[in-house]
């Protein structure tokens, strides 16, 4: 007796069949657009290593967010480029600092129509480019937490719907939660950059925010070693104990195993950051005609969702939203 062959190809024959059985669906609601706003410029400035991405003026930022809102993108995350940097990054909590005024502009214009997330770190604001206070050649964890508390409160006061600590200091989520609660912002959620690796893929971002780490330094003393996976789960676990509402894995594609493990281990919203270097590699290869940029972008973002991410922070947000609507 012969058995009918199980033919998996039957369900792959037509686009409609494939759509019907797709296990993973990328949607506009999954996207968070990272945006840069720079103090003291009157026209947007292109970022060489991030084609299509700019440092916005306050005005062009509002226009960009209007377009994203019209496309249905639910959230943006803001990074500021200040005119003046100092040892402790005090523009990060100055009520007149660039991100604070930009948040106020956006909140006034869009209200609750789009989720305004404020990246919370000081590296864009420090003269040495580190994510905290440098003492004896090292970033001092607990002194840095004091700065993060101030920045969190300033961002919430300015109109942020959510803050996203990205500095990888131990205890940062707990410190920020406490500071927000003490100032009456107990309903402002925290999206923690929990498993953030010391990656070589952040290069273009540093151009975007004019950051050079002093003395050719790096962040290996506080960001995670790419060799470690279990440690990422411990980072997430601790952030949740400290009060994180959403957690993040960053970068994305080289860390799909971490996303997958985090998905299985924790029942909270999970974000992944498709970072500047991932975007730049894609764009560079597409520009040379070596790959199909749009198809690769869709494949990469779908893979990040398939691995288990609910949300993706990506510089592709706008073009993907346009594509998904077309
Ligand atoms: C730190 C921060 C970085 C990124 C987001 N937040 C840079 C770093 O850790 O050096 C990188 C994002 C990207 O590469 O797209 N404030």
């Amino acid at each position: 007796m012969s058995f009918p062959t199980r033919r998996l190809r039957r369900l792959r024959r037509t686009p409609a069949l494939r759509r019907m059985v797709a296990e993973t669906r990328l949607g506009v609601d999954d996207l968070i657009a990272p945006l840069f706003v720079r103090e003291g410029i009157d026209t947007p400035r292109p970022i060489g290593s991030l084609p299509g991405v700019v440092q916005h003026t306050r005005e062009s930022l509002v226009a960009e967010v209007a377009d994203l809102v019209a496309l249905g993108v639910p959230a943006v995350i803001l990074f500021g480029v200040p005119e003046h940097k100092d040892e402790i990054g005090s523009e990060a909590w100055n009520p007149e600092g660039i991100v604070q005024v930009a948040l106020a502009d956006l909140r006034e214009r869009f209200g609750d129509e789009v989720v305004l997330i404020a990246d919370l770190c000081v590296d864009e604001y420090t003269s040495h480019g580190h994510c905290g206070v440098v003492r004896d050649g090292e970033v001092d964890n607990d002194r840095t937490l004091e700065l993060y508390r101030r920045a969190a409160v300033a961002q919430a006061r300015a109109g942020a719907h959510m803050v996203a600590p990205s500095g990888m200091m131990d205890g940062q989520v707990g410190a920020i939660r406490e500071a927000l609660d003490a100032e009456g912002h107990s309903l402002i959620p925290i999206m923690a950059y929990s498993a953030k690796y010391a990656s070589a893929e952040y290069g273009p971002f540093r151009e975007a925010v004019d950051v050079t780490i002093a003395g050719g330094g790096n962040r290996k003393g506080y960001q995670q070693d790419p060799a470690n996976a279990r440690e990422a789960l411990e980072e997430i676990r601790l952030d949740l104990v400290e009060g994180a509402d959403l957690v993040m894995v960053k970068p994305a594609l080289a860390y799909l195993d971490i996303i997958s493990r985090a998905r299985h281990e924790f029942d909270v919203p999970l974000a992944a950051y498709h970072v500047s270097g991932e975007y730049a590699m894609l764009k560079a290869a597409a520009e040379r005609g070596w790959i199909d940029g749009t198809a690769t972008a869709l494949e990469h973002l779908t893979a990040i969702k398939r691995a288990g991410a609910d949300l993706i922070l990506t510089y592709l947000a706008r073009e993907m939203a346009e594509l998904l609507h077309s």
Side-chain angles (χ1 to χ4, degrees), residues 79 119 121 123-124 166 193 196 201-202 205-206 219 223 250 273 275-276 315:
F79 297 91
D119 179 83
C121 194
D123 64 318
E124 294 98 314
S166 61
Y193 285 70
K196 177 172 176 180
E201 296 180 319
Y202 306 149
F205 174 92
R206 297 197 186 142
R219 306 203 196 292
Q223 297 179 347
K250 177 187 174 187
Y273 200 142
V275 302
S276 59
Y315 304 97

Side-chain angles (χ1 to χ4, degrees), residues 34 36 50 77 79 119-125 129 131 148 164-168 193 196-206 208-209 211 213 219 222-223 248 250-251 273-279 313-315:
F36 301 101
L50 290 177
I77 180 163
F79 297 91
D119 179 83
L120 199 169
C121 194
V122 292
D123 64 318
E124 294 98 314
Y125 306 94
C131 294
Y148 290 180
S166 61
M168 289 299 280
Y193 285 70
K196 177 172 176 180
Y197 285 87
S199 172
E201 296 180 319
Y202 306 149
F205 174 92
R206 297 197 186 142
V209 293
V211 168
I213 305 177
R219 306 203 196 292
Y222 39 103
Q223 297 179 347
M248 193 201 298
K250 177 187 174 187
Y273 200 142
H274 180 255
V275 302
S276 59
E278 299 179 273
Y279 175 88
L313 295 85
T314 175
Y315 304 97

